[in-house]
Amino acid sequence: MKQIRVRAIVIACMVGCVAVPQAMAEVSNHARNLSGSCAACHGTDGHSVNGTPVLAGMDRKLFIAQMKAFKSGERSATVMHQHAKGYSDEEFELMADYFAAQKR
Amino acid sequence: MKLNRREFIKFSAAGVALAAFPGCAAVSGGKSKGASVVVIGGGFGGATAAKYIRMWSQGTVDVTMVERNAQFVSCPMSNTVLSGMRTIGDLTREYHALKNKHGVNVINDEVVGIDSQKQTVTLKKGQLRYDRLVVAPGVDFIWDEIEGLNAQVSESDIPHAWKAGNQTITLRKQLESMPDGGVFAISVPKMPYRCPPGPYERACQVAHYLKQHKPKSKVILLDANSDIVSKKGLFRAAWNDLYPGMIDYHADATVKKVNAAGRVATTEFEDVKADVLNVIPPMRAGAVAKIAGVVDDGGRWCPVDFLSYESTLQKNIHVIGDSVLAALPKSGHMATSQAKICAAAIIDMLGGTQPDGDPAIANTCYSMVSTSEAMHVANVYRFDKEKKSMVSAPGGGVSEKRTEIEGTLAGYWLENILNDVLA
């Protein structure tokens, strides 16, 4: 968590944020690690190459809402209702941060 | 003005970052910069670890991956080669992107020795030094539990086809030359083994071929376990609905002996004469794990710390994938999930910081029951701080029923995971 935030802050101080997208500052390594497992179906960093939704650059509120809907059963799914139940709401937010920060 | 990564690292290490954030001196590119990681094995786990260490260290950690095969062949979905749905070529990928895009030093060679004190790996054609070593050898077979079976017999007469490649092709050819009214026998080893639903999926793929081309034939499953170990209800339904009367399931049937010339498998209770004999032997961690000294005493698998996948037996050596001793399924997706936690931890540890203390990883595994329909099992596994192991999170489970939609999703899964591992 520390490293990206620190780096972003330092860059922000020095070069006025031109080198790194602002959103990077909010994303922790823990969020990145949690999001890693999604890649098998949704591609590296959410860049799905076929079939499944692209998560890279997804609006964070939409991501969180969808995951909560899968978890509660409000939205039916083939697979995602099962994965969603394995994570906490806080973890949905972390993953949402990570994917929102990825360039589409 | 735009700082490139290296300039930035030089700069941050030079002062401001350290002075302003003294607790964060070990950013990547700090102590970890120029560190060497060697990854042994270029399967789902090893290739993912290699790629992600490069990616997540922003290229500051040097990674060398040693793989004895020139190409990657996916074991997941390789049962569909038997039905004719796919060819081995469809499942084969190159390591080019790992080299060219991610800067992994890919060496096509075989490991003959590991010195954990000197931190060196000896290859047939050279030697490598490591700061951290990742061992990802997959599985090897325990031949001596089945009389008459060995590596050579499996190549010539009784293929296991449990590592996708030549043996998969051999098994398909044997199936093609089988007479109508013949018997295709598959033996299932005791758990734990690679890909728990795999043998039952294979029975479906073989039956699919037979139903079309040799409908009087039978598939016999000789299962060393006392019941179907994965997706039981779904497989039973698929067998009954799609291949009625074609698949005979024998529980508690451990194959003790084979006769290669006569194609006979002997269990405690019976001799099964087959036209095609597909014995999947019991498994243990790949041989490299033994060379590394990371296999549990008297055991078959490798105990690890689940925060870093560092061996509990050897410092600076990490183990990922099928070789790991855990209540985790031995699957391709699981190997990639473990590889990423391991990659993150290695970068942290090289930089002198603690790994993520609260990992959660996921597994999705599809089984094709025909050339169009599939079902899955999906689970999240979380680190349990008291047990110090990974435990299944609530909510996981299997499909309600097999569907064509899942058959399509299984194809997307394959495409995406192969890209995640290798592209």
Side-chain angles (χ1 to χ4, degrees), chain B residues 220-370:
Chain B
I220 298 178
L221 269 163
L222 300 171
D223 197 337
N225 301 285
S226 51
D227 207 343
I228 296 169
V229 300
S230 177
K231 304 172 186 164
K232 179 185 163 188
L234 291 163
F235 277 119
R236 281 277 183 208
W239 297 348
N240 290 335
D241 301 346
L242 304 175
Y243 316 109
M246 287 187 79
I247 300 176
D248 276 355
Y249 178 78
H250 302 200
D252 294 312
T254 306
V255 173
K256 302 277 189 194
K257 191 171 134 184
V258 293
N259 175 328
R263 298 280 195 278
V264 178
T266 304
T267 72
E268 208 177 312
F269 307 104
E270 58 183 335
D271 286 340
V272 175
K273 168 91 180 87
D275 296 279
V276 180
L277 194 49
N278 171 215
V279 174
I280 305 166
M283 294 168 211
R284 63 176 171 219
V288 168
K290 204 167 183 188
I291 297 176
V294 293
V295 183
D296 192 11
D297 242 3
R300 289 152 59 181
W301 311 105
C302 309
V304 297
D305 172 349
F306 290 99
L307 296 183
S308 61
Y309 290 86
E310 186 170 24
S311 165
T312 57
L313 304 174
Q314 298 286 350
K315 258 183 89 68
N316 302 321
I317 302 182
H318 302 248
V319 188
I320 52 173
D322 292 346
S323 288
V324 169
L325 173 68
L328 296 169
K330 298 188 186 302
S331 78
H333 187 179
M334 193 82 288
T336 65
S337 291
Q338 294 175 8
K340 291 167 193 177
I341 299 302
C342 176
I346 283 178
I347 298 165
D348 289 337
M349 292 160 97
L350 286 170
T353 56
Q354 291 292 314
D356 190 337
D358 194 15
I361 55 178
N363 181 54
T364 310
C365 157
Y366 289 97
S367 299
M368 293 297 299
V369 291
S370 66

Side-chain angles (χ1 to χ4, degrees), chain B residues 159 171 174-175 177-178 183-186 263 274-278:
Chain B
L171 196 58
Q174 290 185 350
L175 178 62
S177 23
M178 201 177 125
V183 170
F184 189 109
I186 305 168
R263 298 280 195 278
D275 296 279
V276 180
L277 194 49
N278 171 215

Side-chain angles (χ1 to χ4, degrees), chain A residues 2-3 6-7 9-11 14-15 18-19 29-30 32-34 36-37 39-45 47-52 78-79 81-83 85-88 91 98, chain B residues 1 8 11 17 21 24 28 51-52 55-56 58 333 337 340 344 356 358 360-364 366 376 378-380 382 393-395 397-398 409 412-413 415-417 419-420:
Chain A
K2 289 173 210 156
Q3 81 190 41
V6 169
R7 183 176 303 171
I9 291 167
V10 173
I11 291 177
M14 294 309 298
V15 295
V18 286
N29 282 357
H30 180 54
R32 179 198 68 187
N33 298 346
L34 282 172
S37 276
C41 300
H42 292 277
T44 304
D45 291 336
H47 291 105
S48 171
V49 291
N50 202 356
T52 53
T78 47
V79 180
H81 59 300
Q82 291 161 336
H83 283 312
K85 289 190 185 86
Y87 296 99
S88 66
E91 287 171 330
Y98 185 75
Chain B
M1 173 190 176
F8 170 69
F11 163 77
F21 306 95
C24 303
S28 73
K51 169 177 164 177
Y52 273 75
M55 243 172 52
W56 285 352
Q58 278 95 37
H333 187 179
S337 291
K340 291 167 193 177
D356 190 337
D358 194 15
I361 55 178
N363 181 54
T364 310
Y366 289 97
H376 76 271
N379 267 99
V380 173
R382 313 188 60 95
V398 299
L409 288 175
Y412 292 144
W413 174 93
E415 220 177 316
N416 276 300
I417 197 168
N419 268 278
D420 185 42

